[in-house]
Amino acid sequence: NLLCASCAALTAVLPGFFLKGFSVLGSHLTWLCVCSVCVGSLNVILHLVLKPNQSPKRSSFSHKISRFLKCCIYFFMSCILFHAIIVLYGAPLIESVTETFLFAVLLSTFTTLQCLCMLGPNIQAWIRVFSKNGAMSIWESSLQITSICSILGAWFGAFPIPLDWDRPWQVWPISCSLGATFGYVAGLIIAPLWIHWNRKQVTYKSR
């Protein structure tokens, strides 16, 4: 969690050393791409290294390829679904299409990609984890908390946009994407604290 939180924070600083004139507000589309790629890549690498939900059965190469392709399709469908939901919530339909889609990619990276890494392309497992008291392990509890915090952060980030403050960060979708990022980082911090506080309940459910 600490690595993922640090990665999300560093994407706002490190690209400035390599890209001239880079800033989160001034080069927001670039930052959205950098943040999505870096956080997504780190999640995939950590999953391959830690293997939190590795199946005891060895799967064939063709099964792994099929699983990978399904994950790619699910991620793309998630981006489209988030894009549609964002538009239904008031985002411009025709204008700022690129901004809206990249924001949807960022949300998918914070939520769907983690589900694909931990649960795979298994919709029934997703429904179980995100149902009430459905998380059966510390990994699933962390997934549940970080995903919810990311979406709530994006939702709260939309509140300042209609206000007539005329601030640069009110331009769509800067405040929403920053809110989603802050929510994601907050979820990464809250998750281990919540798990530690409720460790007896989580341990009992995992058994």
Side-chain angles (χ1 to χ4, degrees):
N1 283 21
L2 183 61
L3 284 174
C4 291
S6 300
C7 179
L10 289 175
T11 55
V13 180
L14 288 183
F17 294 99
F18 306 98
L19 302 175
K20 186 177 180 180
F22 174 85
S23 68
V24 174
L25 299 183
S27 311
H28 193 65
L29 293 182
T30 304
W31 174 77
L32 283 173
C33 295
V34 171
C35 188
S36 299
V37 171
C38 291
V39 173
S41 300
L42 181 60
N43 272 291
V44 172
I45 292 171
L46 290 176
H47 169 71
L48 294 175
V49 173
L50 299 176
K51 299 178 180 179
N53 289 337
Q54 186 180 20
S55 175
K57 296 181 179 179
R58 291 187 178 182
S59 55
S60 63
F61 180 74
S62 60
H63 176 75
K64 291 179 179 178
I65 293 296
S66 175
R67 182 185 175 91
F68 173 75
L69 292 176
K70 283 183 179 180
C71 288
C72 292
I73 294 172
Y74 277 34
F75 182 79
F76 180 73
M77 290 174 60
S78 170
C79 295
I80 299 297
L81 180 61
F82 269 121
H83 184 99
I85 293 173
I86 293 166
V87 170
L88 291 175
Y89 267 88
L93 177 60
I94 299 177
E95 299 177 357
S96 305
V97 174
T98 304
E99 289 85 347
T100 304
F101 184 74
L102 289 178
F103 174 47
V105 172
L106 184 72
L107 275 179
S108 295
T109 302
F110 290 158
T111 57
T112 307
L113 184 61
Q114 290 191 104
C115 293
L116 291 171
C117 287
M118 292 190 186
L119 306 174
N122 187 345
I123 300 298
Q124 292 181 346
W126 295 17
I127 294 173
R128 175 184 59 78
V129 169
F130 289 98
S131 61
K132 186 178 180 180
N133 300 321
M136 302 296 291
S137 66
I138 59 173
W139 301 100
E140 293 178 355
S141 297
S142 180
L143 172 63
Q144 193 180 67
I145 293 170
T146 53
S147 298
I148 292 173
C149 286
S150 300
I151 294 174
L152 287 177
W155 185 61
F156 282 116
F159 286 178
I161 292 179
L163 302 177
D164 57 350
W165 294 345
D166 196 23
R167 302 295 182 186
W169 49 267
Q170 287 181 276
V171 177
W172 171 257
I174 294 178
S175 62
C176 288
S177 54
L178 289 177
T181 306
F182 285 131
Y184 175 68
V185 173
L188 292 172
I189 297 171
I190 293 170
L193 297 176
W194 186 91
I195 291 169
H196 177 74
W197 186 263
N198 298 273
R199 59 187 180 279
K200 292 183 180 179
Q201 180 182 359
V202 174
T203 303
Y204 172 76
K205 288 166 65 178
S206 63
R207 289 177 181 175

